[in-house]
Amino acid sequence: MWISNATALVTGAGRGLGHHFARELLARGAKVYATAREPGALTLEGVHPLALDVTDPDSVSAAADAAADVDHLVNNAGLFLGSTLLGDLEAVRAEMDVNFWGALSVVRAFAPVLASNGGGAILNVASIASWSAIPGNSGYAVSKAANWNMSNALRHELAGQRTLVTSLHFTAIDTDMLRGHDIPKGDPVDVVRAALDGVEAGEFEVVADSPTRAQKVALGEDPRQSYVELAKVFDSRHR
């Protein structure tokens, strides 16, 4: 699933991880549609800027019409509000609207585009939070768990059109989303490169770092052990 000479669209490309995805895709020889709610935020030279609000069906439809040559979709747009399930319900809904419903809306709009261009690939950006929840992020965790299983389901539903669906998981990285949070953070460039290497290799799931891998294993073996593994990630700042 080579990226060189592919045509990719990245959601949420105005900053953070999406910006890094757009830059790395360009470096690998792809044509890149970079999208954001405000196209003026798209400052990376060489991309094709598009307006896209993943929570607005008309905006999603217009983007699919404008980018009819896409064969690689990077479903990156995300929202982290620090919501809790027993706290502000509107914040929980907002995270679900972007991280699950918005991501699914983009897939539904672009799946026919990918089919017409030979199948291609979808990369859904999930998180270590797909398999864990810590105090203060339960709404985000639920939305990313839904995002992960969305990829698992889409893999079946899109197999007939030969579309690869890859789910990406990683722990905290140094982007605007976590600015001000005093926790260990990885390099987003490393995550992006691991993700795109995984797509090129035809991987179903990319687990980009060892803490996330340990968390997934622990959850599968004993949910109680997963809390121990998660504590190792966040307690490391005190070492």
Side-chain angles (χ1 to χ4, degrees):
M1 190 68 63
W2 296 109
I3 290 171
S4 178
N5 298 317
T7 299
L9 182 139
V10 183
T11 68
R15 60 180 183 171
L17 194 64
H19 178 86
H20 288 290
F21 266 117
R23 186 169 63 182
E24 182 65 17
L25 285 161
L26 285 173
R28 296 190 185 207
K31 173 183 176 181
V32 179
Y33 291 99
T35 76
R37 286 177 297 174
E38 297 295 335
L42 300 164
T43 59
L44 184 61
E45 187 174 346
V47 301
H48 299 263
L50 279 180
L52 175 58
D53 179 348
V54 301
T55 66
D56 180 346
D58 290 337
S59 177
V60 173
S61 178
D65 290 340
D69 54 341
V70 164
D71 51 20
H72 281 57
L73 170 64
V74 179
N75 227 348
N76 164 78
L79 182 65
F80 176 79
L81 296 176
S83 71
T84 59
L85 297 184
L86 299 181
D88 182 356
L89 192 56
E90 290 307 308
V92 176
R93 286 194 175 105
E95 288 178 320
M96 285 294 294
D97 281 346
V98 174
N99 300 336
F100 174 68
W101 290 113
L104 179 58
S105 178
V106 173
V107 170
R108 287 171 63 92
F110 276 91
V113 175
L114 297 177
S116 67
N117 293 321
I122 297 169
L123 176 66
N124 289 320
V125 177
S127 170
I128 189 175
S130 299
W131 305 313
S132 63
I134 61 172
N137 86 336
S138 52
Y140 181 80
V142 169
S143 71
K144 287 299 186 178
N147 184 290
W148 168 56
N149 221 15
M150 176 185 71
S151 291
N152 296 334
L154 289 171
R155 213 167 282 128
H156 294 291
E157 295 191 25
L158 296 176
Q161 68 176 51
R162 301 179 63 189
T163 296
L164 172 69
V165 180
T166 303
S167 185
L168 171 63
H169 303 263
F170 52 94
T171 191
I173 54 175
D174 190 11
T175 64
D176 291 345
M177 182 178 284
L178 292 179
R179 181 175 293 170
H181 291 264
D182 182 23
I183 56 176
K185 299 172 188 175
D187 189 338
V189 173
D190 293 338
V191 171
V192 166
R193 288 174 177 165
L196 296 182
D197 287 348
V199 171
E200 288 196 317
E203 299 291 342
F204 284 180
E205 198 166 89
V206 173
V207 181
D209 52 64
S210 56
T212 303
R213 191 171 300 108
Q215 176 65 15
K216 183 184 182 186
V217 171
L219 183 63
E221 293 180 349
D222 180 353
R224 288 170 295 188
Q225 182 62 27
S226 71
Y227 287 87
V228 175
E229 293 299 331
L230 197 62
K232 292 178 183 177
V233 175
F234 293 99
D235 288 348
S236 65
R237 69 173 184 256
H238 301 300
R239 294 173 187 170

